[in-house]
């Protein structure tokens, strides 16, 4: 049974998640939308305002009657640091983005270090935290399996085996969320594209590395037992991984994409199948659909969607992960 302190933390978290839209709400509106009593909302909002987490502004509603306090999250209260690691066209890339409590982009920077090991990641994060000392959470995306915070099967060999989450939490004393980059991208699309209640699968085919996929099942990212789910680069294509990477060029990549798409549709039965990556173009979707129809009955085919760019979905997937998993505070 949850104690009084736990109930308070959970109820404040409900208010917090309501206000992430950036829209102001009165106590009465917050009470109605959260199911809490007005008296409880009054107590929690007073405490959150005293801590600086929310701001209350007196407004006259509908230009008539008495004024009421309208509450919103304080954009300056806390920052969320998002760190994306990648190998793009043979170049190592680390992108740092700082978001406000409502997801507004406050800062963005890309660097191309010659080596992207754990020390380089720590250096980039340290620089960002020095600029934004009010950071409360760090979210890291890697092109790898992120099993229990450890980087495995990474496109960046110098990160292989690094217990990155534990290292960063010990170094910076902040909560760190570490996941495969595809998980963030798929979840960001799910949240931003209004796909609530749907099953959405994202297929990513970049050049020079093995492909990856991620599936959101009605709000939950399917990660599997070891966070290995979606690693279609390990399907049996009758060739080694090195041979597969060599084959993953235009136009020889398409048969491999078709094989993976058939497997994903037959196993996951998604509402939407999203395609992205520099090996794919929108014109590829119809031939891929035709190939899938040779195996999959038409009535079970998902909608095919081409995403020329996933940067915004990646960012928002990291943001929503931080919001959903934020440890409620007093």
């Amino acid at each position: 049974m949850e104690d009084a302190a736990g109930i308070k933390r959970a109820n404040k978290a409900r208010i917090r998640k309501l206000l992430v839209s950036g829209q102001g709400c009165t106590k009465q509106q917050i009470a109605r939308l959260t199911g809490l009593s007005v008296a409880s909302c009054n107590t929690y909002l007073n405490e959150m305002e005293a801590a600086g987490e929310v701001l209350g502004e007196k407004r006259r509603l509908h230009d008539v009657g008495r004024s009421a306090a309208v509450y919103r999250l304080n954009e300056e209260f806390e920052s969320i640091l998002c760190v994306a690691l990648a190998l793009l066209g043979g170049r190592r890339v680390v992108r740092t983005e700082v978001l406000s409590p409502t997801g507004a982009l406050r800062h963005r920077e890309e660097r191309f270090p010659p080596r992207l090991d754990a020390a380089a990641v720590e250096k980039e994060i340290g620089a960002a935290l020095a600029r934004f000392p009010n950071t409360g959470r760090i979210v890291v995306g890697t092109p790898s399996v992120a099993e229990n915070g450890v980087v495995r099967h990474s496109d960046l060999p110098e990160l292989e085996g690094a217990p990155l989450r534990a290292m960063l939490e010990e170094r910076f004393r902040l909560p760190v969320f570490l996941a495969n980059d595809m998980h963030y991208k798929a979840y960001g699309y799910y949240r931003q594209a209004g796909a609530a209640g749907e099953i959405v699968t994202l297929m990513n085919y970049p050049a020079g590395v093995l492909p990856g996929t991620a599936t959101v099942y009605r709000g939950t990212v399917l990660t599997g037992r070891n966070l290995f789910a979606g690693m279609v680069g390990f399907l049996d294509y009758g060739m080694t991984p090195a041979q597969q990477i060599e084959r993953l060029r235009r136009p020889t990549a398409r048969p491999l994409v078709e094989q993976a798409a058939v497997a994903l549709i037959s196993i996951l039965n998604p509402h939407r199948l999203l395609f992205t990556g520099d090996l794919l173009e929108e014109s590829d979707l119809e031939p891929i659909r035709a190939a899938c129809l040779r195996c999959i009955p038409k009535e079970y085919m998902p909608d095919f969607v081409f995403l020329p760019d996933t940067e915004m979905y990646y960012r928002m997937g990291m943001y929503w992960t931080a919001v959903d998993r934020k440890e409620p505070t007093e």
Side-chain angles (χ1 to χ4, degrees):
M1 184 174 180
E2 197 168 20
D3 60 16
I7 292 172
K8 177 187 285 190
R9 288 193 296 270
N11 287 340
K12 284 185 178 180
R14 291 163 71 179
I15 295 173
R16 199 176 287 122
K17 288 185 178 181
L18 174 64
L19 296 179
V20 295
S21 67
Q23 299 298 314
C25 293
T26 65
K27 291 175 186 176
Q28 289 75 16
Q29 290 170 328
I30 293 171
R32 186 180 74 253
L33 293 171
T34 62
L36 301 172
S37 70
V38 174
S40 294
C41 287
N42 182 65
T43 299
Y44 299 143
L45 288 166
N46 285 342
E47 292 178 0
M48 295 168 78
E49 187 174 19
E53 185 174 4
V54 302
L55 300 174
E57 178 186 356
K58 288 285 188 180
R59 295 184 191 172
R60 188 177 298 278
L61 303 180
H62 309 298
D63 297 322
V64 295
R66 298 172 60 185
S67 61
V70 175
Y71 294 88
R72 58 182 176 82
L73 289 181
N74 180 2
E75 291 283 81
E76 304 300 324
F77 177 71
E78 182 182 76
S79 295
I80 300 169
L81 175 60
C82 300
V83 183
L85 313 176
L87 181 65
L88 301 176
R91 299 180 74 190
R92 284 150 173 79
V93 184
V94 55
R95 183 175 69 239
T96 54
E97 296 179 324
V98 179
L99 308 182
S100 77
T102 60
L105 181 62
R106 304 181 64 191
H107 176 76
R108 183 184 189 278
E109 190 167 359
E110 278 191 348
R111 294 188 185 276
F112 303 89
R115 181 175 173 83
L116 195 44
D117 57 10
V121 176
E122 282 193 9
K123 180 180 178 181
E124 296 297 331
I125 291 176
L129 293 180
R131 185 166 183 172
F132 293 90
N134 69 335
T135 297
R137 288 157 282 173
I138 301 171
V139 190
V140 182
T142 71
S144 70
V145 177
E147 184 181 354
N148 297 320
V150 179
V151 176
R152 302 194 188 281
H153 301 287
S154 177
D155 293 343
L156 299 162
E158 60 267 39
L159 273 176
E160 189 66 35
L164 196 58
R165 185 179 65 199
M167 292 171 62
L168 296 176
E169 287 186 336
E170 181 177 1
R171 170 70 173 80
F172 298 112
R173 302 299 178 185
L174 290 171
V176 175
F177 308 115
L178 177 72
N180 178 271
D181 50 5
M182 290 296 294
H183 294 168
Y184 293 125
K185 292 175 183 179
Y187 190 54
Y189 176 90
Y190 178 86
R191 293 296 298 258
Q192 298 299 118
E198 293 189 9
I199 303 167
V200 174
T201 296
L202 174 63
M203 301 180 65
N204 183 36
Y205 278 81
V209 295
L210 293 176
T213 76
T215 297
V216 181
Y217 183 90
R218 297 189 170 104
T220 300
V221 179
L222 299 182
T223 59
R225 178 170 60 92
N226 302 108
L227 285 82
F228 185 73
M231 302 294 283
V232 294
F234 293 90
L235 288 174
D236 183 5
Y237 298 99
M239 62 187 77
T240 66
Q243 290 171 328
Q244 183 187 161
I245 290 174
E246 182 64 28
R247 186 74 63 85
L248 286 170
R249 304 173 184 270
R250 292 190 60 85
T252 55
R254 188 184 293 167
L256 302 181
V257 179
E258 293 168 354
Q259 183 176 340
V262 168
L264 291 167
I265 294 169
S266 60
I267 294 169
L268 297 168
N269 189 206
H271 294 83
R272 307 187 202 188
L273 193 56
L274 318 175
F275 296 84
T276 192
D278 49 18
L279 292 179
L280 295 172
E281 297 178 357
E282 191 166 12
S283 60
D284 292 319
L285 266 60
E286 278 308 312
I288 294 171
R289 183 195 302 273
C292 291
L293 283 169
R294 291 197 291 268
C295 303
I296 306 293
K298 183 178 181 180
E299 60 266 30
Y300 301 121
M301 287 287 289
D303 294 330
F304 279 28
V305 180
F306 179 69
L307 301 179
D309 181 71
T310 58
E311 183 176 304
M312 185 269 288
Y313 297 125
Y314 194 178
R315 177 190 309 132
M316 296 311 295
M318 298 175 105
Y319 166 74
W320 284 114
T321 296
V323 169
D324 293 343
R325 299 175 61 185
K326 176 179 171 63
E327 286 294 330
T329 58
E330 288 294 335

